[in-house]
Amino acid sequence: MAIRSACLSLGIVLALALAGPAQAESGSGKVETQKWSFGGFFGTFDRAQLQRGFQIVKENCAACHSLEYVYFRNLGEPGGPEFSLEEVKALAADVEVIDGPDEAGDMFERPGLPSDLMPSPFANDNAARASNGGAMPPDLSVIAKSRTYKRGFPNWLFDLFTGYQEQGADYLYALLIGYNEAPAEFNLLEGLSYNTVFPGHQIAMPSPLFEDGVEFNDGTKASVEQMSRDVSAFLMWAAEPHLEARKRMGFQVIIFLIIFAGLFYATKKKIWSRVKH
Amino acid sequence: MSGQSTYTPGSGFARWFDERLPIMRLMHDSFVDFPNPRNLNYWWTFGGILSFLLVTQIITGIILAMHYTPHVDFAFGSVERIMRNVNYGWLIRYSHSVGASMFFLAVYIHMGRGLYYGSYKAPREILWILGVIIYLLMMATAFMGYVLPWGQMSFWGATVITNLFSAIPLIGTGVTEWLWGGFAIDNPTLNRFFSLHYLLPFMIVGVVILHIWALHVPGSNNPTGVSVKDKEDTLPFHPYYTVKDGFAVVVFMILFAYFIFFNPNILGDAVNYVPADPLSTPPHIVPEWYLLPFYAILRAIPDKLGGVVAMFGSIAVLAMLPWLDRSKVRSAVFRPIYKQFFWIFIIVFLILGYLGSQPPEGWYLLISRIATAWYFAHFFLILPLIGLLETPRPLPESITKSVLGSAAGGAPSGSAASPETKG
């Protein structure tokens, strides 16, 4: 078909283009492709993993990072961690929310509701920088979609058609387990940490996860790898809360279109059989 | 082919209406009875595919505009709210962003078909130039649309592109500040880009109507490039081409749906999910994939003004194509030399696209200079020369002869070297 031959010629061209210039590799740390329950064409989130991931965010990350676009109610919605309504209410009530103004014109504090956004740890960006040595802890709502890594040829070409969209989760996982001692010759600036995959290898965030840093209700051992994996999965959900609905609908739409195209083709053949062409 | 109208009103009301506003007659003559060459292959279905995409973009765009806030403080958040809180907002927004890429994919194939089969040659010069205008409007629309989510690449892409105007001697800075509505890219810039992004698609619709009008005067070109000689050479648009185009649209929708549902972000830049920050420049500023070849041309020229002139010139030269190509034979099927240079040109264009995504240094820069030189040489040197030197293969007597295979030369539309052969 048109598309296939276009892609084929694109592939040939890229092979030619790459035969000349060598790829400049920056950094020794390599992001590895991980296996995720939400990967592939039929992927779905692992509820228990998302719940563990949320626990890590709540107990560790939320001290510095906001989740600006996530509501407490999202935690109970289908396709996410799917906490029960009672759990969602309890999680929301755990935080104090500033509301108002009341009838007297004053702002007041009240316990959070499921309809509230997750509160941010700092009043504004300057406060966030001031508390973090001048570095701004980024908002985590869409971080799993805003981070990626160099896939290189021919991977990026295959990625177009394999439905690979876990670059962000792969990168975050590699980053979280990527804290290491700086090599002897590496000139690490004061207050920064060495990370194998972070661009430039100097990251303002100190290693955030420690063995048994949290205690999971489901008895999962809280190793750094396990926590990194769970929190990356949670952040993927936070960035793409409708991922499951999207893939499910996609399957239905594509099946429909294939049948529709088949019927259309049969009709076309029948009509065109009247004339020589 | 403006012939005699064959419309017969089916009822008394239709007759009454036709005497007052013959719009049904116009529709009937343009899209039902309209005679099309009988040998059009699937490369000719991209006009229909593009019409479908234009309508899709406008519908999804209007819905997005109902929920979007064009303000520097709220734009990024309002797009996230569409993705999260609007019912099926993710579907509408992904359809729109993927739709832009599909639009360009289809338009490149559509233009490539025009180049291969010589569809720009007399008497279709105006038709072709209107197409180039549509393409320019599409690029402007896509660029401004990409600014609206107000991510990092939105902001910095807008910075790079608007700064191009500062290369104009004497008035450059003034023009740039006039475009910005201030001394930097800020809220006024975002507001006007939103306004223009809403306006331009309707201008595209207007030029598309002219494009179709200009198509319906000489009628479609065809794979042989031989003009229609009599009624035998044609088939009525309906049902033959409605069903063929319809089938092609549905097949194209499968690809479209794949990207919407299974890889919606792969064609965009991840950095655009970081909110715009005027104080932090991303390491690599790259436009969307469909503008990369022109970005490579811009950066291949060491001089800023020269780069801007070359970039706009690379599109303007397309409008001059009907007069640069001196050959009287339209279709590359019968032009052995041109056919080879056509494919070299396509490869050069793709190489430019790849180089546009890479930093302009070392080998990349050298190759993009060679490719840029080739791009222009193709139009100003190669095409005029081939027109003079090439001996075309014998043309079939008529479309019908070529279809029925009674001509001695065989059936060219099925010859192995022609790209219209379907897999």
Side-chain angles (χ1 to χ4, degrees), chain B residues 8 13 32-33 37 47 73 127 138 148 180 195 228 233 238 256 275 278 288 304 317 332 358 376 397 412 419 422:
Chain B
T8 37
F13 174 74
V32 178
D33 193 43
D73 292 337
L127 170 62
M138 276 175 64
L148 302 184
W180 287 341
S195 172
V228 168
D233 289 343
H238 181 74
F256 191 2
E288 291 288 79
K304 186 175 178 185
V317 68
Q358 299 300 319
F376 286 102
E397 240 167 89
K422 309 309 295 179

Side-chain angles (χ1 to χ4, degrees), chain B residues 357-401:
Chain B
S357 71
Q358 299 300 319
E361 57 200 25
W363 282 100
Y364 294 133
L365 190 57
L366 181 69
I367 298 173
S368 56
R369 286 189 177 148
I370 296 169
T372 302
W374 186 278
Y375 182 97
F376 286 102
H378 177 82
F379 292 106
F380 289 115
L381 217 64
I382 296 168
L383 279 186
L385 279 180
I386 299 176
L388 290 174
L389 303 176
E390 181 183 54
T391 317
R393 288 169 47 203
L395 295 175
E397 240 167 89
S398 72
I399 293 172
T400 309
K401 283 262 170 62

Side-chain angles (χ1 to χ4, degrees), chain A residues 251-272:
Chain A
F251 181 67
Q252 296 161 345
V253 166
I254 298 229
I255 292 291
F256 169 81
L257 285 175
I258 288 172
I259 294 169
F260 192 26
L263 293 173
F264 230 124
Y265 185 68
T267 314
K268 188 248 162 199
K269 257 190 111 71
K270 180 123 178 42
I271 288 174
W272 278 79

